[in-house]
Amino acid sequence: MSCLTVFNAKFFLLWQGSGILLTALCLYDYWQTRVLATPSVTRIMPDNLPMSATSVIRLQIQNPLHHPLTCLIHDLYPSVFEISDLPQLHSIPAQKTISLEYRVTPPGRGDKVFTGTELQLFSLYGLWKQRRVIDNSQTVRVYPNFAEMTRYTLLATENRLSRIGIKQRQRRGQGNEFLHLRAFHESDSQRQIHWQASAKYQKLIAKDYQDEKDQQVILLLDCGRRMRHQDRNRAQLDEALNAALLLAYVAVRQGDAVGMLTMGGDNRWLAPRKGQKRVNHLLNTLYDLEATPHPADYMTAAMHLNTVQNRRALVIVVTNTRNQDHQQLAQAIKQLQRSHLVVLADLREQILDEALQRDIENSDDALLFSELHQYLTARKHYHALLRHQGIATLDITARQLPAALVNRYLDIKAGSVL
């Protein structure tokens, strides 16, 4: 067109007019974008999210304008979250509200903050866009994966703990707390015969017993640097916390009181309490527990526990040791043994077991296998010494911990050891 203006003044005027009109349109569209009312955004989500599980977050965006609004929506979620389905581009009808969903997967526990929602508003004619941030910050608690805990709970509730490796035991007639009288069965022992009742009814009557209730169970949980190790993208502390909650659930169903003491930088004491609400209290108190870079001070923790816990209890120490920790840990357990029954759950890394199963193809593999074998042999020797001193030990991986703890607890209950 510019070429034509050389020959015809009318084309020149038309070209100038088009330019002025286009500039005016751009300025008007820009002004309209500046004065756009900001849409309201409401985030709908649970107060608590499970760790390592996918949850749905819903956003409701209301368009206050009398014409449709196109915007690109991006929620300002916690940076550590894994997300999908964001950002999203939507056209919102005039004075209407739309809903959108996206999915988040929190990789760790604790308090996490959604700082706001970012909107990119497109102008009426699509020539401009403007970024606006809605201040709708929310804090959410990320709990241990209660999808797994629910599975454990349902299995326990329906008397099917054996599906996760927890053995079922015949309880009738065992224990040391009198329950009731009943007819004698061939499988009963003679010590269960109640001779006075048998004489009265002219038939054999047996005494039934149950495991003693109202006992104390305390978990001494290491939250130090050793528990930061991850097996299959999950920290050992997370597995230990799941195991502690499962054990607490089983123990309170047995009528026992459950408490916890943490060590290794984040030191918390929860005195033993009974009742079905105890597990929820533990969950609400310990959901933000994190492994610290500090070493666990076993002796200080043992002395503190002996001070605050006067009644004899089953103390389960959950930790991850190295050779340099063994002397202090043994001394601490000896302190605890003066007043309590102690069980040591010493976690080892899954990668050690996997490394021993690999084929040896060269000298480096042979050297690694030899060093691992020596390390694990020394570890077994240390645990054997502890057992010789009357200390029950569990040398297990973090994945094996939940079932192993509950089985050992049930063994102790059945044997009336506490």
Side-chain angles (χ1 to χ4, degrees):
M1 183 182 292
S2 60
C3 296
L4 295 177
T5 60
V6 177
F7 305 102
N8 193 327
K10 293 182 179 180
F11 285 110
F12 176 73
L13 293 175
L14 180 61
W15 177 73
Q16 279 189 326
S18 299
I20 292 172
L21 183 61
L22 181 60
T23 302
L25 180 64
C26 289
L27 291 175
Y28 176 77
D29 202 34
Y30 174 75
W31 177 79
Q32 285 284 352
T33 306
R34 298 287 294 180
V35 299
L36 281 178
T38 302
S40 63
V41 180
T42 303
R43 185 185 300 105
I44 301 173
M45 64 179 181
D47 294 330
N48 311 314
L49 298 177
M51 187 190 80
S52 301
T54 300
S55 301
V56 175
I57 308 296
R58 181 177 293 107
L59 294 178
Q60 292 183 341
I61 303 95
Q62 182 181 24
N63 178 10
L65 306 176
H66 293 282
H67 59 78
L69 176 65
T70 302
C71 61
L72 185 67
I73 303 153
H74 185 71
D75 207 17
L76 302 180
Y77 55 87
S79 59
V80 296
F81 280 17
E82 300 173 6
I83 64 104
S84 60
D85 304 326
L86 275 183
Q88 295 187 25
L89 181 65
H90 286 272
S91 179
I92 310 174
Q95 296 186 323
K96 296 293 184 180
T97 300
I98 66 165
S99 294
L100 64 89
E101 294 181 349
Y102 69 97
R103 288 163 177 77
V104 299
T105 305
R109 294 173 288 101
D111 290 324
K112 308 298 178 183
V113 180
F114 290 75
T115 56
T117 303
E118 177 183 311
L119 302 178
Q120 290 189 18
L121 306 181
F122 289 81
S123 62
L124 181 62
Y125 300 113
L127 300 176
W128 305 91
K129 63 180 179 180
Q130 186 181 54
R131 176 179 177 271
R132 297 187 186 179
V133 176
I134 313 299
D135 184 10
N136 58 352
S137 61
Q138 282 180 266
T139 300
V140 64
R141 292 179 172 184
V142 180
Y143 278 3
N145 190 343
F146 39 67
E148 290 184 358
M149 291 307 303
T150 301
R151 182 174 71 91
Y152 288 149
T153 300
L154 289 174
L155 289 169
T157 302
E158 298 176 16
N159 200 30
R160 288 184 286 150
L161 286 169
S162 58
R163 290 193 179 182
I164 56 172
I166 297 173
K167 302 173 184 176
Q168 296 296 309
R169 296 170 178 82
Q170 176 61 257
R171 315 304 295 174
R172 182 176 57 81
Q174 300 179 2
N176 58 1
E177 190 172 277
F178 178 76
L179 181 61
H180 55 66
L181 297 176
R182 56 169 176 78
F184 182 82
H185 300 289
E186 292 183 0
S187 58
D188 295 330
S189 64
Q190 291 187 2
R191 71 178 184 87
Q192 290 180 245
I193 298 176
H194 192 291
W195 296 106
Q196 292 180 336
S198 299
K200 178 179 179 180
Y201 293 103
Q202 298 296 307
K203 64 178 181 179
L204 290 177
I205 301 296
K207 296 176 286 186
D208 237 355
Y209 295 89
Q210 64 180 353
D211 294 336
E212 186 179 350
K213 296 184 178 181
D214 197 26
Q215 295 179 322
Q216 309 265 301
V217 180
I218 298 174
L219 287 117
L220 182 53
L221 181 60
D222 183 359
C223 300
R225 61 190 182 193
R226 307 286 193 213
M227 301 295 284
R228 303 178 76 179
H229 177 82
Q230 294 200 356
D231 282 332
R232 298 178 183 174
N233 298 321
R234 180 176 293 188
Q236 286 190 338
L237 181 60
D238 292 324
E239 295 284 6
L241 195 54
N242 279 352
L245 293 171
L246 175 61
L247 177 62
Y249 176 81
V250 175
V252 296
R253 284 175 59 86
Q254 297 291 318
D256 290 340
V258 181
M260 183 175 291
L261 175 64
T262 64
M263 57 180 172
D266 193 344
N267 303 322
R268 307 182 191 183
W269 165 240
L270 291 91
R273 294 288 185 272
K274 298 172 60 176
Q276 294 299 322
K277 294 182 179 180
R278 184 55 171 167
V279 178
N280 287 335
H281 182 255
L282 290 172
L283 188 64
N284 291 328
T285 306
L286 302 172
Y287 76 94
D288 60 343
L289 199 62
E290 297 290 347
T292 73
H294 305 290
D297 189 339
Y298 300 111
M299 183 56 69
T300 299
M303 294 175 66
H304 177 62
L305 183 55
N306 280 339
T307 301
V308 296
Q309 178 67 24
N310 296 323
R311 182 176 171 182
R312 179 172 170 82
L314 168 61
V315 177
I316 301 176
V317 183
V318 181
T319 185
N320 179 341
T321 66
R322 299 292 187 274
N323 293 340
Q324 58 266 36
D325 305 321
H326 290 169
Q327 183 176 358
Q328 188 196 82
L329 178 59
Q331 292 174 349
I333 291 178
K334 188 175 181 181
Q335 281 277 346
L336 291 170
Q337 274 189 306
R338 296 177 180 177
S339 304
H340 310 291
L341 176 65
V342 182
V343 173
L344 170 64
D346 193 0
L347 303 181
R348 68 175 185 272
E349 288 77 8
Q350 180 71 33
I351 194 173
L352 300 180
D353 294 352
E354 294 172 355
L356 289 178
Q357 302 301 320
R358 294 174 189 161
D359 294 334
I360 299 176
E361 299 179 353
N362 51 50
S363 58
D364 290 339
D365 292 344
L367 181 61
L368 176 61
F369 181 87
S370 177
E371 291 176 349
L372 284 177
H373 189 268
Q374 290 179 15
Y375 168 74
L376 294 176
T377 299
R379 180 183 173 95
K380 291 179 180 178
H381 179 67
Y382 170 70
H383 290 151
L385 289 176
L386 292 179
R387 286 192 293 270
H388 182 70
Q389 298 172 17
I391 303 165
T393 63
L394 298 171
D395 182 10
I396 51 178
T397 64
R399 292 294 178 93
Q400 297 169 332
L401 183 63
L405 282 191
V406 175
N407 279 327
R408 184 52 56 96
Y409 163 76
L410 294 177
D411 285 338
I412 290 171
K413 292 285 289 183
S416 303
V417 179
L418 183 59

